[in-house]
């Protein structure tokens, strides 16, 4: 029986052009780039920290539970991530006066600054990921992938 050497960058012909395969490979590449960008320039923060800060800046103060649900982070992970952000004075948590069991999370001025620094990291990663595409192709890609994501949200 002949021995074939495994090459991780290759895929069988019946797999290589399947959208699910291509999307999974693009996801793996984008995740790797994003993790490397945060590792090198994110001041110890990660993508989920960025999403939390961005949500607070855009939507304003929110309960921990609502914040986690709105950006798709598990409740226990939100608590740990917010504790880290709070220890860095990037967010502030206060007890909700209407419900003493709930915390309201607010972005601090330091959090806004950190978010803007992370915007640069994320923007650089976007440029690196989409480097093979022209400006028009980038717009088309974003339009098409957004349609796939929007459609999947509607079918849940």
């Amino acid at each position: 029986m002949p021995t074939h050497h495994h090459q991780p960058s290759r895929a069988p012909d019946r797999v290589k052009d399947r959208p699910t395969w291509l999307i999974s490979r693009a996801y793996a590449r984008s995740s790797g780039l994003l993790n490397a960008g945060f590792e090198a320039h994110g001041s110890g923060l990660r993508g989920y920290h960025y999403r939390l800060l961005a949500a607070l800046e855009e939507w304003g103060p929110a309960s921990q539970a609502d914040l986690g649900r709105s950006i798709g982070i598990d409740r226990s992970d939100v608590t740990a991530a917010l504790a880290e952000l709070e220890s860095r004075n990037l967010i502030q948590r206060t007890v909700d006066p209407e419900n003493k069991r709930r915390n309201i999370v607010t972005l601090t001025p330091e959090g806004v600054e950190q978010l803007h620094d992370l915007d640069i990291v994320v923007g650089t990663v976007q440029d690196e990921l989409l480097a093979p595409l022209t400006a028009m192709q980038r717009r088309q890609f974003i339009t098409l992938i957004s349609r796939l994501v929007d459609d999947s949200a509607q079918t849940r």
Side-chain angles (χ1 to χ4, degrees):
M1 181 170 200
T3 303
H4 297 282
H5 297 286
H6 174 68
Q7 295 179 345
S9 62
R10 292 186 56 203
D13 286 343
R14 67 174 34 164
V15 173
K16 71 178 183 174
D17 293 329
R18 303 272 185 177
T20 51
W21 170 256
L22 294 169
I23 290 168
S24 70
R25 299 310 312 143
Y27 170 76
R29 182 165 180 262
S30 67
S31 292
L33 291 171
L34 197 57
N35 289 338
F38 275 106
E39 183 70 29
H41 307 289
S43 301
L45 298 176
R46 299 280 174 242
Y48 53 88
H49 294 115
Y50 177 74
R51 290 195 320 263
L52 287 164
L53 294 172
L56 288 168
E57 183 189 50
E58 185 170 333
W59 301 324
S63 73
Q64 288 183 194
D66 288 345
L67 194 54
R69 277 190 297 273
S70 68
I71 62 171
I73 298 177
D74 183 74
R75 181 184 305 179
S76 61
D77 294 335
V78 167
T79 301
L82 291 175
E84 186 171 353
L85 293 173
E86 187 175 39
S87 74
R88 294 169 177 238
N89 197 34
L90 302 177
I91 58 117
Q92 181 179 22
R93 290 188 283 187
T94 56
V95 175
D96 184 345
E98 296 176 16
N99 182 346
K100 303 290 185 209
R101 296 180 300 162
R102 184 166 61 180
N103 283 324
I104 300 297
V105 183
T106 307
L107 192 60
T108 65
E110 294 87 346
V112 172
E113 281 184 41
Q114 183 66 65
L115 177 60
H116 292 165
D117 291 345
L118 295 176
D119 281 337
I120 295 167
V121 173
V122 172
T124 300
V125 169
Q126 307 311 298
D127 290 342
E128 186 175 353
L129 175 67
L130 300 177
L133 305 178
T134 66
M136 185 189 317
Q137 290 170 330
R138 288 177 185 206
R139 288 189 301 275
Q140 289 173 325
F141 174 76
I142 291 167
T143 298
L144 293 171
I145 199 104
S146 295
R147 285 180 64 188
L148 291 177
V149 172
D150 291 345
D151 188 56
S152 71
Q154 293 173 6
T155 59
R156 282 189 220 167

